[in-house]
């Protein structure tokens, strides 16, 4: 009997029929919002090409959260009310929610568990970026939201291997991503980096996806990677999205030295994280759904 042919990283990206995708409008909103010359009119023009995103922008602008006395009826005004940063986050959340809310059986994740973990990591990463002042907090939000996209593509291939990976991680005392690499030859971080490259996302975001479990291995020691690593750890410690790999997350203390924050600051970070999550999660989740 011939041995089964192993699935390569290229196979994952080229042969998976239901890869996560971004709408063209969401990607363009992200790029334009990051531009120093971004204008409300140009963002509104892009958003207008996506009916569902247009509705979400107007709905959020008219929500009780902003407490305006008059109704916002046009997109340029809605963009001004929300600001480019909120518009970018809303576009990213709306674009990723459909495939982040699915169950990922290969990782032991029930419906919406990946969403809760990814959104929590986005908020945690943003909070840490603000605290450290070492990188842009909105890019940290984006990177945190996307850090586990490799799981979406890889889960269909590891469905029957999850138990073996978890067992191997426990037996060897290693992290889940280390066990993935031992058994598969690559991990979900590398798959995610390849997807981000296909989407033409910024290099910093790709690095955060690739090294979020092992920030000290990042060739450039990028502070964005450190923020996402700690953000993911805080989210895991709060119990958001604990799948098959949830108990195998090793905190890299070198992140704190590089960001010039103290390990003792984790308590403050966690307290602020809970407040931010309760404040934003229901609002963004309702709009995304």
């Amino acid at each position: 009997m011939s041995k089964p042919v192993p699935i390569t990283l290229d196979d994952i990206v080229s042969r998976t029929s239901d890869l996560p995708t971004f709408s063209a409008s969401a990607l363009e909103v992200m790029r334009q919002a990051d531009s120093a010359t971004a204008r409300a009119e140009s963002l509104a023009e892009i958003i207008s090409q996506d009916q569902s995103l247009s509705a979400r922008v107007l709905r959020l602008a008219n929500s009780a959260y902003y407490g305006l006395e008059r109704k916002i009826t046009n997109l340029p005004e809605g963009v001004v009310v929300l600001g480019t940063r909120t518009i970018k986050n809303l576009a990213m959340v709306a674009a990723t929610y459909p495939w982040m809310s699915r169950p990922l059986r290969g990782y032991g994740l029930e419906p919406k568990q990946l969403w809760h973990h990814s959104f929590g990591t986005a908020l945690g990463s943003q909070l840490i970026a603000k605290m450290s002042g070492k990188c842009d907090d909105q890019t940290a939000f984006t990177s945190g939201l996307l850090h586990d996209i490799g799981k979406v593509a890889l889960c269909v291939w590891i469905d029957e291997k999850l138990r073996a990976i978890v067992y191997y991680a426990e037996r060897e005392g290693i992290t889940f991503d280390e066990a993935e690499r031992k058994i598969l030859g690559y991990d979900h971080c590398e798959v995610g980096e390849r997807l981000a490259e296909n989407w033409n996302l910024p290099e910093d975001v790709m690095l955060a996806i690739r090294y979020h479990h092992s920030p000290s291995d990042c060739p450039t020691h990028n502070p964005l990677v450190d923020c996402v690593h700690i953000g993911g750890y805080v989210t895991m410690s709060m119990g958001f999205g604990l799948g098959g790999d949830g108990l195998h997350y090793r905190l890299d203390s070198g992140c704190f030295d590089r960001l010039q924050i103290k390990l003792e600051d984790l308590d403050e970070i966690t307290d602020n994280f809970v407040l931010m999550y309760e404040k934003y999660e229901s609002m963004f989740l309702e709009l995304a759904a």
Side-chain angles (χ1 to χ4, degrees):
M1 182 182 295
S2 60
K3 297 177 66 175
V5 178
I7 301 298
T8 68
L9 184 55
D10 288 333
D11 289 333
I12 297 295
V13 177
S14 63
R15 290 173 51 190
T16 304
S17 60
D18 195 19
L19 284 176
T21 59
F22 271 114
S23 69
S25 56
L27 283 172
E28 190 58 28
V29 165
M30 187 177 79
R31 294 190 185 102
Q32 289 290 333
D34 284 337
S35 169
T37 59
R39 296 182 301 111
E41 292 80 5
S42 60
L43 281 173
E45 184 176 350
I46 298 166
I47 293 167
S48 67
Q49 299 170 24
D50 186 322
Q51 187 175 11
S52 63
L53 184 56
S54 299
R56 289 182 174 104
V57 168
L58 291 177
R59 185 177 177 185
L60 182 56
N62 285 295
S63 68
Y65 179 79
Y66 287 92
L68 301 178
E69 294 182 359
R70 57 188 178 81
K71 188 173 180 63
I72 304 299
T73 58
N74 64 80
L75 282 174
E77 196 173 7
V79 172
V80 170
V81 168
L82 300 180
T84 57
R85 293 182 164 225
T86 299
I87 288 291
K88 175 185 174 182
N89 289 353
L90 178 59
M92 295 296 296
V93 168
T96 57
Y97 179 78
W99 37 268
M100 280 193 183
S101 60
R102 302 174 189 168
L104 299 186
R105 304 301 182 198
Y107 282 94
L109 291 166
E110 297 301 319
K112 296 184 181 178
Q113 280 192 311
L114 179 64
W115 154 259
H116 288 295
H117 174 69
S118 298
F119 188 71
T121 301
L123 291 177
S125 302
Q126 184 178 40
L127 180 66
I128 294 156
K130 286 181 178 178
M131 175 180 284
S132 68
K134 296 291 184 179
C135 60
D136 178 66
D137 64 284
Q138 293 302 307
T139 305
F141 181 95
T142 298
S143 302
L145 188 67
L146 299 177
H147 77 289
D148 267 345
I149 55 172
K151 288 184 176 180
V152 181
L154 189 53
C155 71
V156 298
W157 301 97
I158 72 162
D159 195 7
E160 297 180 0
K161 294 184 174 70
L162 175 64
R163 185 173 296 179
I165 294 173
V166 171
Y167 173 76
Y168 188 81
E170 291 175 347
R171 190 188 73 183
E172 301 297 322
I174 59 178
T175 61
F176 188 87
D177 55 298
E178 288 171 331
E180 278 182 326
R181 290 194 295 274
K182 290 286 187 180
I183 292 177
L184 303 174
Y186 47 82
D187 59 24
H188 66 278
C189 309
E190 293 171 82
V191 175
E193 180 189 33
R194 186 69 62 88
L195 286 176
E197 184 179 10
N198 287 354
W199 293 333
N200 198 29
L201 295 183
E203 183 179 357
D204 280 354
V205 177
M206 287 194 288
L207 287 174
I209 293 170
R210 172 66 182 85
Y211 293 102
H212 70 268
H213 277 296
S214 52
S216 291
D217 292 339
C218 183
T220 59
H221 282 172
N222 192 305
L224 183 63
V225 180
D226 293 328
C227 290
V228 174
H229 176 75
I230 300 175
Y233 177 82
V234 170
T235 307
M236 283 290 192
S237 68
M238 296 299 295
F240 295 127
L242 285 177
D245 61 332
L247 300 178
H248 303 282
Y249 197 110
R250 182 182 299 142
L251 179 64
D252 184 342
S253 59
C255 295
F256 292 86
D257 295 331
R258 291 188 291 270
L259 293 174
Q260 294 183 328
I261 58 179
K262 298 177 181 178
L263 191 59
E264 297 78 44
D265 291 334
L266 264 181
D267 288 339
E268 179 184 349
I269 291 171
T270 301
D271 290 342
N272 290 335
F273 168 82
V274 172
L275 293 175
M276 284 182 66
Y277 194 92
E278 292 176 348
K279 179 179 179 181
Y280 291 116
E281 192 262 352
S282 59
M283 178 176 69
F284 274 112
L285 182 59
E286 180 184 357
L287 289 165

